[in-house]
Amino acid sequence: MVICSHCQAQQLDGTIFCTVCGASLIHARSTRQTTASLNRAAAEAPQLDGDDATIVPAPATKTESATIALVVLSSGRRIVLPVTSELVIGRKDQQRNFFPDVDLSLDGGYDAGVSRRHARIVCHNGSYVLEDLGSSNGTFLNRQRVSPDRPVPLHHGDEIQFGMLLVRFETNG
Amino acid sequence: MSKVDLRITPSRSVLPASQEPQLLYALVELSAQSGATKMPRLPLNLCLVIDRSSSMRGERLQQVKQAAMQILDLLGDHESFALVTFNDRAEVVVSAQLARARAEIKRQISAIEAAGGTEMATGLALGVQELQRAMMPRAVHRLLLLTDGRTYGDEGRCVEIARRAQSRGIGITALGIGSEWNEDLLETIAARENSRTHYITSAAEITKIFTAEVERMHNIFAQDVHLRAMLPSQALLRSLDRVRPYIGPLPVIEEADFVWTAALGDWPENDVQALLMELVVPPLPVGRHTLLRLGLRYRTPGSDGATASHEQVLTVTTRNPDEVSDEVDPTVKHWLERLVAYRLQASAWQAVEEGKLEEATRRLQMAGTRLFEAGEIELARTVQEEATRLLRSGQASAEGRKRIKYGTRGLIGREGQS
């Protein structure tokens, strides 16, 4: 039995793509031991019920300190982050000892073509810019491609696409 | 005499010995190699059923007329041709006749004008009637339907007429052009043996697709093709889908314990056919095992209905799990990826129907991911755009939906490419 790391469905050994959500199970299997704890963490993270017609969580809940959030539209995962001067978005790679601030490997990042160092969000005086870090499959802001050498301003509600993975950017400020 | 080549490629040829059942995918490729002697050609009994509603006015109808005349030139003197048009009512423009008085038939075709609405069922019924008038004992009977609009209120009748015709051996090719027609209806009509559907994205393609279709019908070298899969005890054929020349599920019947059969219909020689099977393999000890015996049975047109058959066997090796790699055959993975994308988009539209927009978006996005990985970049982008549109506006565009539905199946203007 294999557990799909994307939707947690049980699948027969030998399954290449999950029959429930369609995610690739090939790489899930080879990294099973190392991601075991992360899978548990992902299971505890807020997840949309597969059968519910829920709309993506409403933006901007008031909290004390300034935070930004990335909402992964495919999984419904909401990644809340403290505001720091720089946030690197990508996929973690334990063999190369690389850990981005935002790890999209749990959201099907590998399948969606997210690079290890894909993009970064830089905060300066309360405004944000998005910069592509030379990713293989590109970064798109509201469907416009972001060139690697040209950071673009980022606003609350913008849609960012890392490779094929669609994410909404939210601020509470 | 043509020779048939039957090839089975498993996703893995070495499996881990296991106490648990496991899944194995098998790609079955059927191809024909022409022999030295030319095959006798089966005569064609063809009826074109053409939408002439006002939206067909201009280039579309012009192209259709041109295509109809070219088809007429492709037919031999012993083949039958008929043409029916429909708008709010249906009309026999060319009654079923041998393709001989060509000048007169062409004059009748050129007089067709576009006007009125779209009412498909009566047109289909008249077309089937014309085909039946010209029923020859050993011939290929085909109805070629072209529409650009939505028929209202008679969808049920359309399907009923199509089924009745198909049960009498009439195959239906349903072609849609533009963005207004009902792709669910055309897909339902064509979901039977010897029937197919196609999306024509621009009027300029009409002639090419029409004539290619007639050429396919002219090259049928095997009829009533049946596939039979014999599995070991406790194994299961979980699904069977066609992946080439286009993607779509194939209904299977469990004929006896661990024996499944499927009807593949007529086989045009130039079509490479490929099927993808999902086999649930029971727990197996270390060793060599025969997992699948595949039989192919068909009639050859020239030989007075004599049947021919072929058999192929798939054996796999099981080893200790730590000696087995995770590698899967890249060709099997490619077609599986395309098939999964097709299934995901189909279930996405299902979810839209049920009002589950989040779920639909998620499935579409995963379909996009699969297509992206399978190298279908342009289609992946279309899927991604529609997913975004769906999430934002609550509905997909009519054109995007068609492009995705037909694109994932390999049914948009790419004849002979896939």
Side-chain angles (χ1 to χ4, degrees), chain A residues 16-85:
Chain A
I16 300 180
F17 299 110
C18 174
T19 52
V20 177
C21 71
S24 170
L25 300 183
I26 299 177
H27 297 281
R29 201 163 37 244
S30 56
T31 57
R32 196 158 29 175
Q33 284 106 339
T34 53
T35 55
S37 57
L38 282 164
N39 281 347
R40 238 174 288 127
E44 285 156 14
Q47 286 245 333
L48 288 174
D49 189 330
D51 288 320
D52 264 356
T54 356
I55 302 303
V56 168
T61 43
K62 288 285 170 205
T63 45
E64 295 307 309
S65 60
T67 57
I68 59 173
L70 294 173
V71 183
V72 182
L73 297 180
S74 59
S75 61
R77 184 161 81 110
R78 187 184 173 85
I79 308 160
V80 182
L81 303 153
V83 173
T84 53
S85 58

Side-chain angles (χ1 to χ4, degrees), chain B residues 106-119:
Chain B
K106 285 184 184 173
R107 200 190 51 74
Q108 289 163 336
I109 292 172
S110 63
I112 300 170
E113 278 176 11
T118 304
E119 242 187 84

